[in-house]
Amino acid sequence: MVKSRPRIVAFLCNWCSYAGADLAGTTRIKHRAEVRVVRVPCSGRIDPTFILKAYERGADAVIIGGCHPGDCHYVSGNLHARRRFYVLRELLGFLGIEQERFQVTWCSAAEGEKWARTVDEVCDTIERLGPLESFKSMTDYLRIPEKEISLSDE
Amino acid sequence: MISKERLLDAIREAGAKDYAVFAPVAKDAGVMLEEIDDPASINFDHVLTVNTLKDVGLPRVEALAEFDRDARTMEAIRDDDGKVLVFGSRPCDAAAQKILDAILIGEITDSRYAARRERMVMMTLACSTADDACFCSSMGYGPHDPTGSDVLLLPKGTEFIVRSHTPRGEEFLRELGMTPDADVEGDPPPELKRKVETGGLKEKLDKNFDDPIWNSVSENCVSCGACFYMCPTCHCFDVIDESGLSRGRRLRLWDTCSFAGFTKMASHQPRVGRHARYRQRIMHKFKYTVDNVNLVACVGDGRCIRACPYGVDLCEVLEALVGNE
Amino acid sequence: MTSNLEEPLRAKAAELLSSGKVDLLIGYGRAFLGESVRPVFLRQDADTAKLIWNDRCAHNLATYLMKEPCLGLVKGGGRVAVVAKGCDIRAIATLIQENQIERDRVHIIGMACSGVRYDEDSRDMAIKCRGCEVQLPALYDDLIGSEADTGEVEGEPREDIERILALDRSARWEFWTRELSRCIKCYACRQACPMCYCGECITEKSRPQWIDKAASLKGNIAFHYIRAMHLAGRCVACGECARACPMNIPVDLLSRFLSRRVEEAYAYKAGMDPEADPFFLVNRQDDPGEFIR
């Protein structure tokens, strides 16, 4: 049997984390390929519904990437996000969803290596935890069949 | 006459004869009408189940079709399960089924509902208790009323008198080897504390659409859907698509005119303000349905009164409307 | 059980209405069912005989402040009086914090409270009253009663949050799927909530449809998840959502848990200070951030 690979959705802020992930690519740092990146203007733009939708559509984990405190392009978007995601993380735990499936990282445009490390670590964690079964049974009919998203091994 | 033990055996046998059995069972929410495996779990001493027979005939979520946008396919989800026995619902709920039949089956027929009704046998348990919110007798029914029941069980001491009221009921009893009882009187029906006089209500409703009374009777209402969704005759629905990137389902869901977003898919909710939406509830039940199918769409089960978190009381509203000059 | 505060309350209400200080007074009156109570709307002092005060006055009347006719009345320069317990006043204070109503548009008749009960059969006080810190309100225009009228709330202490926290992860998920699977999406919780005042709820938005409309387990989890997030740091634990639920779901657990976490981590409690900034509107450099890698 083929082991199912984790599906990870990342919401990255345009100004820091997305550029950091880009840097990881341009400097050819190898990292796990199971992450799908969605670029957002700011980590403060990320609504709890985005994360819910990601889980509903089959994500096993979500990574949020924002600027380090003090670096926000919009001054305090990441600080608002920090409060929001503290609360969200508590909610997930209370509902019975592993908090490891929700990761937040401050990653600057210069931290390509940090981004690569984060992705690898989260992939390892999710492989250990296994797929997010909680939502699976409810949403089978919405999920993309496994074959359509098969990732080619290098 | 049949003892409770033998009655449970009969239900067990119906289950063996491929009937899906729905019956009242004690749950977290209270006594609920649900599909059961073991008749021993059936509850007998409640006043009413929390949910109504809509959960059998007109469920809150019903998948109509499955689609795949990429493959450009859409397939109807068939709903042709076998026979259904509804055991132990109360006479008011059975009467409500009769009203829904009149509305949903006829000139324009809701084929899915009609098909489900076709397969449904109603074995109703007449009431031996009532609470402060019950007012079925004021709506022309009663704790022992047979309207809508195929078989009616009347309590007599610890046993039940079996009455068949339709050919389907007779056939069902034959199938289970039961015989209806003639000429036996059951225990007297419980006395209802609640009475409401609705003489002249229809005439009032015919002309009081713009009456200020609608403001005062709906003042407490917070526009939730509790009374609508708990009502055995409210039947409005919405059809939506729930989909992922490509695949999805077309669903039919309960909907209610009390929500500010009702009928928005057709541009807007024409009823602005709680009073207008509450008026629609009363008008629909006591005027429009009377105009259309000559029935009042209320059976006096009192669920709306019990469910309302803010004490809106249908009986008082009706009295106020009748008494309003 | 009637209370000796009923007469002073009626007298105060009559004074407010006859002097024209307020245009509308929302209080508690008798309902038909059993010993139960329901909200009443009074416009003239002659009506004040309808007012009652007893241990069945559980409703949070602040919820009407965000609905008609109060909204129109306040907009037109009118004033509304609300009979409110300490917990209800926290809701009013939150509305003031969030700029939903001006302090001088609402006349708060604070009631000294010794706990309320949801049904006549139960001897115990409502679970929301256990461990109450606001039996004697701090924010009011008139206070009916005094310290002497705030008897101790009887009953076991409230430990529903602890009971969930004691469960392991899968048992928690099992608990929530069991509870939420019976939600019928009547939105009684949302409509009863004084803090849920959005003109258009996110559940009603369909372009895009963030929250599934269906009352399926998936749609129900989505609804309660987002409701909890929207109430985090705003929930005043008045318990109205759970009381309103016709399906007996402890809907208040989620938002109450989040508000408790906010209190622990940020030392912020909703509705205690009408001058304070709302929780999600501000941030601090030293906010908790240990969870961020």
Side-chain angles (χ1 to χ4, degrees), chain B residues 220-231:
Chain B
N220 284 9
C221 175
V222 295
S223 259
C224 73
C227 55
F228 296 83
Y229 283 2
M230 305 319 273
C231 176

Side-chain angles (χ1 to χ4, degrees), chain C residues 13 34 40 60 211 269 282 289:
Chain C
V40 287
N60 184 348
I211 307 297
K269 197 167 174 177
V282 290

Side-chain angles (χ1 to χ4, degrees), chain B residues 27-30 32 50-51 55 60-61 131-134 193-194 219-227 229-230 238 240-243 251 253-256 258-261 264-265 273-274 277 305-313 316, chain C residues 24 30-34 37-41 43 59-61 63-64 67-69 120 178-193 199-200 204 209 212-218 220 240 243-248:
Chain B
K27 289 281 169 145
D28 299 336
M32 298 281 286
V50 174
N51 59 340
D55 282 358
R60 67 190 198 214
V61 182
D131 72 9
D132 289 353
C134 291
K193 278 190 230 162
R194 212 85 213 264
E219 213 155 30
N220 284 9
C221 175
V222 295
S223 259
C224 73
C227 55
Y229 283 2
M230 305 319 273
D238 185 11
I240 62 146
D241 286 350
E242 198 175 278
S243 68
L251 305 173
L253 317 171
W254 288 355
D255 203 355
T256 141
S258 97
F259 292 158
K264 249 190 167 169
M265 69 296 284
R274 278 158 23 237
R277 302 205 279 271
I305 303 174
R306 289 183 206 98
C308 183
Y310 292 95
V312 177
D313 189 319
E316 281 179 317
Chain C
L24 174 69
R30 202 164 298 290
F32 181 88
L33 281 187
V37 157
R38 68 160 161 228
V40 287
F41 294 71
R43 289 180 175 81
H59 318 59
N60 184 348
L61 303 179
T63 198
Y64 287 107
K67 297 178 167 67
E68 294 297 346
E120 57 204 292
R178 180 190 158 109
E179 293 292 331
L180 297 180
S181 60
R182 63 175 186 273
C183 171
I184 54 173
K185 286 209 175 158
C186 67
Y187 299 123
C189 48
R190 180 187 76 191
Q191 296 304 108
C193 178
E200 190 180 28
E204 275 153 17
Q209 183 100 49
D212 280 343
K213 263 193 111 175
S216 59
L217 179 57
K218 170 169 165 268
N220 292 347
E240 282 293 86
R243 186 184 67 82
C245 181
M247 300 305 280
N248 233 345

Side-chain angles (χ1 to χ4, degrees), chain B residues 21 46 62 68 83 89 93 110 132-133 171 183 229 241 247-248 269 276 280 283 310:
Chain B
V21 180
H46 57 287
E62 182 182 4
D68 187 324
K83 303 169 284 185
S89 64
D93 284 341
D110 182 329
D132 289 353
E171 197 191 308
D183 309 323
Y229 283 2
D241 286 350
R247 300 199 291 168
Q269 154 71 291
Q280 171 65 13
M283 285 284 188
Y310 292 95

Side-chain angles (χ1 to χ4, degrees), chain A residues 57 140-145, chain B residues 66 242-245 247 249:
Chain A
R57 298 276 171 90
D140 269 344
Y141 66 96
L142 295 182
R143 291 163 64 83
I144 307 157
Chain B
E66 214 154 15
E242 198 175 278
S243 68
L245 295 175
R247 300 199 291 168
R249 280 183 185 177

